[in-house]
Amino acid sequence: MFSDGTTLYVVGSGYNNATNRTEALMWSRPLAPACRPDLTTTAIPGSPGYGTPNGTLNNDDFFYYLAEFAAGNLAVCDLTSTAVAGAPGYGVPNGVLNNDDFFYYLTLFAAGC
């Protein structure tokens, strides 16, 4: 196992019945950021650090999310299926951007890091 801080890597080997041989395997999985609502260094588009977390949660992160939400950026803003804590789909992206995603981000932001 190895982690570069953003991705976890697991290596090993396994027997492939289709090829009748032992083969190398590698699984990788992105790690959750240390501070999930930390999304950017600056809220000014085009500036260095725009869209790159910096370990600090502040108003730049909120305004970055707001701008990306208004732009319909699913990759950044689709965070949940429902904003009701404990309900099925809470914290699970569903490919739809709506008020649940916005209020879920507000909950993350208010909780801090």
Side-chain angles (χ1 to χ4, degrees):
M1 288 183 11
F2 168 75
S3 174
D4 62 6
T6 62
T7 305
L8 174 66
Y9 302 92
V10 179
V11 296
S13 63
Y15 187 77
N16 184 336
N17 288 327
T19 62
N20 292 320
R21 66 179 183 200
T22 301
E23 298 179 355
L25 301 171
M26 182 172 83
W27 294 276
S28 64
R29 176 180 177 195
L31 296 173
C35 178
R36 193 163 177 207
D38 173 27
L39 301 174
T40 192
T41 301
T42 178
I44 302 169
S47 295
Y50 186 74
T52 303
N54 64 346
T56 302
L57 184 62
N58 59 28
N59 64 318
D60 288 333
D61 300 295
F62 176 77
F63 288 114
Y64 173 80
Y65 184 85
L66 187 61
E68 296 301 308
F69 185 87
N73 187 340
L74 285 173
V76 171
C77 300
D78 177 25
L79 301 173
T80 191
S81 300
T82 178
V84 179
Y90 186 71
V92 179
N94 63 347
V96 176
L97 190 57
N98 59 27
N99 62 317
D100 288 330
D101 299 294
F102 183 79
F103 289 113
Y104 182 81
Y105 182 77
L106 282 180
T107 300
L108 293 177
F109 187 84
C113 294

